Each structure stands twice: as structure tokens, then as C-alpha cells.
Amino acid sequence: MAQRLLASAINCGLMNYSETSIAATTPFLGLENVRKTYPGVVALDGFSMEVRPGEVIGLVGENGAGKSTLMKILGGVTRPDSGTITVDGVAHDGLSVEASLGSGIAFVHQELNLFENLDVAANIFFGREPLRGGPLRLVDRARLREMVAPLLKRVGANFSADTPVANLSLAQQQMVEIAKALSIKARLVILDEPTSSLPIAETDKLLDVIKALKADGISVIFISHRLHEVERVADRVVVLRDGMLAGTLGKRDIGHDQMVKLMIGRMLKEREKASEAARAPGAVALAAKAIRTPT
């Protein structure tokens, strides 16, 4: 039945093939009714979402909406109080860091985690370097370069494995982080505000990398306050507000005003009008007339 509906949508022009192929795939990751509280704060309250292969999900919300807590739960850093995390059909009440990595979940944080005194290859396979020399356990540099080269090609890098990270721009360093994620066979790459410090030209390059990951069947969660960038790359937008799922927007419904409405609970223009009304003078609370003090 579902397949017939999808076929009808294509024939009627309501969905294109890429939208349909994503919709038809089975989610490999799901969260259901996840809740996390801290003293005096409900960080997540009954949150649910799914991630399908090759899907770019824009995750948006105001500061304090629960995005960071959600990412920590997916990364195994924080354990939810309740709810279920399902990976490849297996339900868990929480993930460890090792289980998260083993499931193919990788992060590129806003603060990059690179060693500027090392080259690109050493950063990508730090702690996992191929070794040679028997008991001497020397790093096999030739093998290391062979392993890194295809990863750099996948992210469209214009620098070599031997380039010192200190010589790279911020956008190029982010490519190294993404290549590092691919080196662990990531199925989901979570990008936390990756364009916040980038100029327009380098932002465009990074968005192209996201599109390339999607083309390779790798899912991306793109966290950003730059809503126009979310519009450009997202197949679906998930909106958090006060720790709860405020709503989800499909590809054809994604727009700046729609995202803002879900983020703040009403259209931005309505909020501005309410703010103006709040600033309008009300009844006189205190009055003084003809007051004089002795000199």
C-alpha cells in the first residue's frame, strides 16, 4: 500500500525520486519518547525522531531547546532517564560512547578536535595508525597516506595527507574532521554549527561536502542557526522547542518563516507585533507636577 502511494506521488509530480527513495528506506536509527532532566530543568521531554540512510536532517531550535542534550545522548556521553534508542532494529535504553561509534555515529563539533602540530594523515588516524617493524611498532607512513587519500577525495579536499593542519583554513580543517568520521565508517555524521565562523565561499564548499555525503548514502544531522543554509541542504527539518518536538517539516515545506514559527511558537511578525504592543505606553503609574525644592 505504501509503495503504491509513493509511486502515485511520483507520477503526480508531488515528490521527486530522491525524496521518494529516502522515504521508502527503513530508518537505521530511531529515538522514541526520550526524556532527560537535570535539577530544575527538563532538557528533553518525550522526544522522538528517526534517521534514514542518505538523509540530511536540519536540526533547529533556539538556545536551550535541547539540541546539545540530544547530541550527547546520541554520542553516548549522556544517558536518557527514559525512552528508547533503536539501532538497526535493536532497542537500547541508552548508548555508550563505544556503542555509538560502533553504530557509525560520528560528530564534527563546533570546536574542532585537531592537533595543529601534526599533519592531516596523523590527525585522521590518531591512535589507530597502521604499524610496521614488528616489536618496534613504527607508524607505517606509506600505508597511512594510502588510507587517507580516498577519504580526502570523498570530501573534495584540495590538500594532501602530508599537509600540516596548522596550514589549513577553518573550512579545510572541518573537511579533515569529516574525513576522520568517514574513517570509522560513519553512517551518520552530526555537524554542530559547522558554518558559524566561515565566510560565504567556504560555507558553500562545506554545503557541497554535505551533498556529497548524502550522495554516498551517509546521513547527516545539520545543526545551524543559519536557517537559509538549512533550507539549501535539508531533506527534512526537525524543530526542538523547550525540550520537545515542536514539529517536522518535509522538503517541500521547509522555509524560513515555517521554521521560525515552530521554533518560537508563532510567526516572527506576530512576535514583533506583540513586542511592540508590550513596549507601548500604558496607564500612568506615577505622576509629578510643579515640584520644587529649596535652593
Side-chain angles (χ1 to χ4, degrees):
M1 178 64 179
Q3 290 179 335
R4 289 200 300 270
L5 290 173
L6 289 170
S8 175
I10 297 173
N11 293 334
C12 295
L14 298 177
M15 298 177 71
N16 59 37
Y17 178 77
S18 61
E19 289 178 291
T20 306
S21 59
I22 291 173
T25 57
T26 301
F28 71 90
L29 175 66
L31 295 91
E32 185 174 358
N33 293 324
V34 170
R35 179 179 173 86
K36 179 63 182 178
T37 61
Y38 298 99
V41 177
V42 179
L44 285 177
D45 190 5
F47 179 79
S48 300
M49 70 174 290
E50 295 177 334
V51 180
R52 293 177 171 82
E55 180 180 31
V56 179
I57 299 174
L59 181 64
V60 300
E62 294 188 287
N63 290 336
K67 303 187 297 296
S68 296
T69 301
L70 174 60
M71 296 306 102
K72 289 176 182 176
I73 288 174
L74 285 176
V77 176
T78 297
R79 197 172 190 85
D81 298 332
S82 60
T84 303
I85 303 171
T86 303
V87 182
D88 294 326
V90 179
H92 307 268
D93 56 9
L95 298 176
S96 65
V97 173
E98 293 77 13
S100 177
L101 288 172
S103 300
I105 301 173
F107 288 79
V108 177
H109 296 280
Q110 189 172 1
E111 296 80 20
L112 301 180
N113 187 26
L114 298 174
F115 299 100
E116 293 192 349
N117 60 316
L118 300 180
D119 63 21
V120 169
N123 269 277
I124 291 176
F125 281 97
F126 186 81
R128 301 176 290 130
E129 301 90 342
L131 303 176
R132 62 177 176 81
L136 294 177
R137 296 179 63 81
L138 302 174
V139 174
D140 188 340
R141 291 289 305 177
R143 176 62 182 144
L144 184 59
R145 286 192 292 270
E146 289 176 4
M147 294 165 64
V148 169
L151 299 175
L152 295 180
K153 184 177 181 180
R154 287 179 69 181
V155 299
N158 58 353
F159 49 86
S160 71
D162 296 322
T163 305
V165 165
N167 294 349
L168 300 178
S169 69
L170 185 56
Q172 290 173 324
Q173 290 183 23
Q174 286 176 327
M175 288 182 180
V176 175
E177 285 279 21
I178 295 172
K180 188 195 301 184
L182 296 179
S183 75
I184 65 167
K185 297 180 172 55
R187 294 191 291 169
L188 169 63
V189 178
I190 300 173
L191 301 172
D192 184 11
E193 298 285 354
T195 62
S196 59
S197 302
L198 298 183
I200 293 176
E202 294 202 325
T203 293
D204 290 339
K205 291 179 184 177
L206 186 63
L207 297 184
D208 286 340
V209 171
I210 292 175
K211 294 174 183 177
L213 293 175
K214 170 185 167 66
D216 283 345
I218 297 171
S219 305
V220 176
I221 293 180
F222 180 46
I223 304 171
S224 180
H225 285 94
R226 295 182 176 181
L227 300 184
H228 63 284
E229 295 171 2
V230 175
E231 287 186 65
R232 287 176 58 182
V233 296
D235 298 303
R236 183 162 57 94
V237 171
V238 173
V239 184
L240 270 166
R241 185 173 75 242
D242 298 328
M244 295 183 287
L245 177 64
T248 301
L249 297 172
K251 182 70 173 178
R252 292 182 177 272
D253 298 321
I254 297 173
H256 180 275
D257 290 347
Q258 289 77 11
M259 285 187 278
V260 170
K261 181 178 181 180
L262 289 173
M263 286 170 62
I264 66 177
R266 52 180 143 173
M267 295 297 285
L268 185 59
K269 291 180 179 178
E270 295 175 8
R271 186 174 184 174
E272 290 172 348
K273 288 179 180 178
S275 179
E276 289 173 1
R279 291 194 299 267
V284 175
L286 176 67
K289 185 176 181 181
I291 295 175
R292 184 176 182 178
T293 60
T295 57

